[in-house]
Amino acid sequence: MYRKTYLEVNCEKLKNNIINIKQNYPDYEYYFGVVKANAYGHGSYIINSLIEGGINYLAVSSLEEALELRKYNTEIPILILEPIHLEYLDKCMENDIAITVSNMEYFYELLTINLQKQLKMHIKLDTGMSRLGIKKSSELCEIINKTANATNLFIEGIYTHFATSGINDKHWDNQLEKFKEITQDVDLSTIPIVHMGRSLTLVNHKKIPFCNGIRLGIAMYGMSQSMPTPTGFKAFLRNLRNNHKKKKLHISPTTTTNNLDLQTAITLYSEVIDLRKIHANDFVGYGALYNAQKDTTIATIAIGYADGIPKGLKHVVINDKKYNIVGGLSMDMICVAVDESVKLYDKVTILGGEQLPIKAVANECGIRSYNLFTGIRNRVPRVYKKDNTYTEIKY
Ligand SMILES: Cc1ncc(COP(=O)(O)O)c(C=O)c1O
């Protein structure tokens, strides 16, 4: 690395998150690690730490992502959550990668292919998200019957995806009912893996009895999704309203707090590459956005929006002290109003650590933690801390 801007990823923390999740929710056979989008920005390198923690299946969005994972582990089964072009099935069969079948046209085309090796597929059901998935029980039965007579095609899994948390809405319950309706003529126990939930399902709902798999994304990366019980009169009123709604709509009971002890594992660092004194009334940044009210010291930091830092970012930390970003974000640099204690080449924390926790920064920027994690660009090298050694990877 030449420019000292990098994302440090603590692999031990990720591993411990999985151990903690499994201790708290031990009743699944399959714990899928959702590692799409370069493992939510952490980088594919982390998969072996996830596996050490107890993840026994991985899920990604594309064949590219699946093959990238194979550079780091050749054994762990991988599911692609979106349909892939059928001309690339050989790569899936060679690399133990399962595909998703999500509509009949795709399935009929699949049946015309002469498969030379076993191909694993998971059938996706559309229970209310209207993106992907089989919607009718007759179609599901047709897939199952026709696959029974097809050479080398194997139904390994069936799944759906919940659109909401189900805490104050009926949509979650409706999706569960829809899943039951579509699968009514199917003996689910004959399908090895039935997986419906994501992190929120795990923590907010009782285990769905016929599911033996859970797909973990954001929780694995350190977000427990536990919501402290709000206090105050407004919260009291909101609670009353929600309870009334839950009763009226027969929304199934949920839990909003949990005992998970999870930690985020990333810290984004950069450095001071320039220090200058400006006078009262001088301007900083594009559009002369910032007009200094008094003589000020400006530190220029080697990171910008092209590295994925969000527009609303307000502070950085230098030598344990928080400073304000001034003059907006440039593509590759930001300016910070500092004091005399800051020196050239000082290390700067942009995100993470005690003073800039991911969730708080995301809230402050008006975005979700998902966007913050996945927004960090690949031009930022990742540095992995594992067993007190550091490994640098540029994706
Ligand atoms: C199909 C599917 N399953 C599971 C997940 C993981 O979700 P979460 O990060 O909320 O646990 C995702 C994430 O987008 C997904 O698309």
Side-chain angles (χ1 to χ4, degrees):
M1 169 194 337
Y2 304 114
R3 184 180 72 138
K4 300 278 183 278
T5 295
Y6 62 97
L7 185 75
E8 191 172 297
V9 182
N10 187 319
C11 293
E12 250 359 87
K13 286 186 179 172
L14 292 168
K15 178 179 159 184
N16 289 336
N17 286 347
I18 309 297
I19 293 172
N20 188 260
I21 291 170
K22 288 188 73 172
Q23 277 166 351
N24 279 274
Y25 303 95
D27 298 331
Y28 292 89
E29 232 176 293
Y30 294 93
Y31 291 84
F32 286 74
V34 179
V35 289
K36 55 188 184 164
N38 207 18
Y40 284 37
H42 294 63
S44 307
Y45 179 88
I46 64 161
I47 61 172
N48 288 316
S49 300
L50 303 180
I51 295 166
E52 284 162 27
I55 288 294
N56 54 7
Y57 215 120
L58 296 175
V60 291
S61 290
S62 64
L63 183 54
E64 280 83 354
E65 289 183 348
L67 294 174
E68 171 71 12
L69 297 184
R70 283 287 173 250
K71 293 182 192 163
Y72 301 97
N73 188 298
T74 53
E75 303 289 321
I76 181 105
I78 301 172
L79 167 66
I80 303 178
L81 296 163
E82 292 172 23
I84 66 153
H85 285 287
L86 292 169
E87 63 256 49
Y88 306 122
L89 288 183
D90 283 352
K91 292 221 175 292
C92 296
M93 291 180 281
E94 278 161 28
N95 289 286
D96 190 19
I97 295 168
I99 63 162
T100 286
V101 168
S102 78
N103 66 65
M104 293 310 283
E105 204 179 328
Y106 188 85
F107 177 68
Y108 294 142
E109 232 182 292
L110 178 61
L111 285 182
T112 65
I113 296 172
N114 184 9
L115 300 171
Q116 297 300 315
K117 274 186 179 174
Q118 191 193 67
L119 175 69
K120 294 190 293 188
M121 68 181 198
H122 289 221
I123 306 168
K124 172 113 190 225
L125 304 186
D126 179 5
T127 56
M129 238 186 140
S130 307
R131 298 193 301 199
L132 297 173
I134 303 296
K135 288 182 89 152
K136 294 185 188 155
S137 72
S138 58
E139 291 181 341
L140 176 61
C141 288
E142 191 183 339
I143 293 179
I144 291 173
N145 293 336
K146 291 206 161 122
T147 304
N149 298 320
T151 309
N152 281 332
L153 195 55
F154 171 56
I155 300 173
E156 188 195 45
I158 186 163
Y159 72 107
T160 193
H161 192 44
F162 286 112
T164 67
S165 68
I167 295 171
N168 293 314
D169 66 271
K170 186 68 183 162
H171 196 69
W172 193 96
D173 288 308
N174 291 342
Q175 283 196 261
L176 180 55
E177 282 316 305
K178 186 76 184 166
F179 189 93
K180 289 179 186 166
E181 184 193 311
I182 304 174
T183 58
Q184 63 193 338
D185 298 323
V186 175
D187 178 0
L188 283 177
S189 69
T190 61
I191 299 180
I193 316 178
V194 182
H195 50 112
M196 293 181 72
R198 56 186 170 114
S199 301
L200 276 176
T201 321
L202 180 80
V203 299
N204 295 146
H205 295 265
K206 272 206 218 122
K207 181 177 175 295
I208 300 165
F210 53 81
C211 284
N212 62 348
I214 186 87
R215 299 186 306 272
L216 299 172
I218 202 81
M220 214 169 54
Y221 303 107
M223 300 288 167
S224 76
Q225 312 286 39
S226 198
M227 292 180 237
T229 315
T231 50
F233 187 62
K234 269 191 182 163
F236 171 77
L237 286 181
R238 205 177 321 121
N239 217 14
L240 270 186
R241 255 197 324 271
N242 283 335
N243 284 342
H244 175 69
K245 185 176 167 190
K246 282 182 207 178
K247 240 187 193 161
K248 195 170 144 205
L249 299 179
H250 303 288
I251 295 171
S252 59
T254 49
T255 325
T256 50
T257 53
N258 59 62
N259 296 321
L260 287 172
D261 179 17
L262 308 177
Q263 284 184 288
T264 54
I266 60 164
T267 319
L268 182 59
Y269 292 114
S270 186
E271 70 173 342
V272 176
I273 54 166
D274 193 287
L275 267 177
R276 61 196 51 235
K277 290 195 187 321
I278 62 168
H279 298 296
N281 260 333
D282 281 353
F283 292 94
V284 180
Y286 280 117
L289 261 185
Y290 180 74
N291 187 205
Q293 300 299 299
K294 55 179 178 42
D295 292 359
T296 307
T297 306
I298 296 292
T300 303
I301 320 293
I303 193 164
Y305 62 78
D307 297 294
I309 59 172
K311 206 173 156 198
L313 194 75
K314 291 187 178 55
H315 317 281
V316 301
V317 169
I318 308 173
N319 305 325
D320 290 331
K321 215 166 153 187
K322 239 178 182 182
Y323 296 101
N324 291 337
I325 297 172
V326 295
L329 309 181
S330 302
M331 193 182 288
D332 320 289
M333 287 175 272
I334 54 177
C335 291
V336 177
V338 296
D339 55 33
E340 297 298 318
S341 68
V342 172
K343 301 280 174 285
L344 195 62
Y345 308 128
D346 273 354
K347 191 172 179 174
V348 183
T349 305
I350 308 293
L351 187 63
E354 276 181 18
Q355 299 198 63
L356 298 167
I358 306 292
K359 197 167 180 200
V361 174
N363 285 345
E364 197 174 81
C365 295
I367 59 175
R368 300 184 314 154
S369 311
Y370 293 83
N371 303 67
L372 201 51
F373 279 129
T374 57
I376 299 164
R377 301 276 171 82
N378 283 352
R379 92 165 177 172
V380 177
R382 270 60 173 170
V383 174
Y384 295 96
K385 183 168 181 238
K386 191 172 184 181
D387 305 327
N388 279 327
T389 60
Y390 290 85
T391 307
E392 180 187 333
I393 295 187
K394 172 88 177 63
Y395 291 100

